[in-house]
Amino acid sequence: MQDLIASSLKFQNNTLMVLDQYLLPHQQVWHECRDVKTMRELILSLKIRGAPLIGLGASLLIAYLAEQDTTKAVLAQAIDDLEATRPTAVNLMHCMAKLRVALQQQDYVAEVINTAVKLFNEDIALCEKMATHGAKLVNSGDNILTHCNTGALATAGIGTALGVIYKAQQRHGDIHVWVDETRPLLQGGRLTAFELERWQVPYTLICDNMAASLMAAGKVDKIFVGADRIAANGDFANKVGTYNLAVLAHFHNIPFYVVAPLTTLDVNTACSADIEIEQRNGAEVRGVSGSFGEALWAPTNANVYNPAFDVTPAKLITGWVLDTGVYDQQQVLAGELKRLV
Ligand SMILES: CSC[C@H]1O[C@H](OP(=O)(O)O)[C@H](O)[C@@H]1O
């Protein structure tokens, strides 16, 4: 398999490497992955994370195993095992479905490898298209609020919502970004801040509970977020705290955009009620751990509610920025998204 290199995932010299996003930004540690058990742990612990990226990481692992003359039956089980890691982001299911088709072909080793390579390279191109479409929605001097991390660390390209922000900054040179730290795992404070510094995009880090007063003060011009799954009616699931922003944006009449590749659209999921929300370990809320070690602030036995995602109804969304274009609420509520697949 050819070398494939992205910000947090690479296949080089026949070795699959994953950047440990849990240790960023203060430690850059790459883990080698040679088996399903390791990739499952990397995905479940969010060392590799981001809807598109977990699909690509799983795909490259399957391709690596195919290259090691792994039997069809073992590859099929590996696909099932990896698909079962995180239930909300549909990109993982999309990639695994493509690999299942490849596995049924006569020359399945070559087909699986070619499919994984194609998915990786397609993602790079999809990011560019989303960024180009979305950047046209940004005006000079805009203050943009974003949530979680949707950049190069979460994709094979420049990202989804953060890719729009990056392209807009290239175009205008004078935008500013409010970065939600994104409790409990702090993808915004750790990863988005890290990426915006690398790209030299001016930003200000805020706690999630500060977004409301910034909007009330007129300091937020637009909101761009990513998605883990878009339902057929335009509702979508994204990192928990996204729904808060959508309700606040609606109240304050601030444009609210979701940015995702068309492969995040799941026409088999009718609406948000049908999206399975991943529930995560309470330890993530009782304290925090990372490159600095760990800190525990809540009582050891505190009951915790820790959904990794929440859902936002289409009626709160101004626009859907996909690689195929930008769609407004009237188009989406009229069923336009379903006609794209
Ligand atoms: C382009 S990443 C999309 C999506 O994935 C993130 O979730 P996680 O960090 O748990 O993998 C977040 O919801 C992003 O918006």
Side-chain angles (χ1 to χ4, degrees), residues 30 36 39 63 91 114 127 142-143 150 156-157 173 199 202 213 235 296 310 312 321:
W30 288 85
V36 171
M39 184 53 77
N91 312 66
N114 293 340
C127 287
D142 270 353
N143 289 282
T150 59
W199 294 343
S213 55
D235 299 350
L296 176 65
D310 58 22
T312 297
V321 180

Side-chain angles (χ1 to χ4, degrees), residues 15-35:
T15 306
L16 180 59
M17 302 295 286
V18 170
L19 178 62
D20 188 329
Q21 296 194 38
Y22 207 79
L23 294 178
L24 287 177
H26 301 298
Q27 286 181 30
Q28 298 197 31
V29 174
W30 288 85
H31 299 291
E32 183 177 356
C33 183
R34 295 199 191 112
D35 55 55

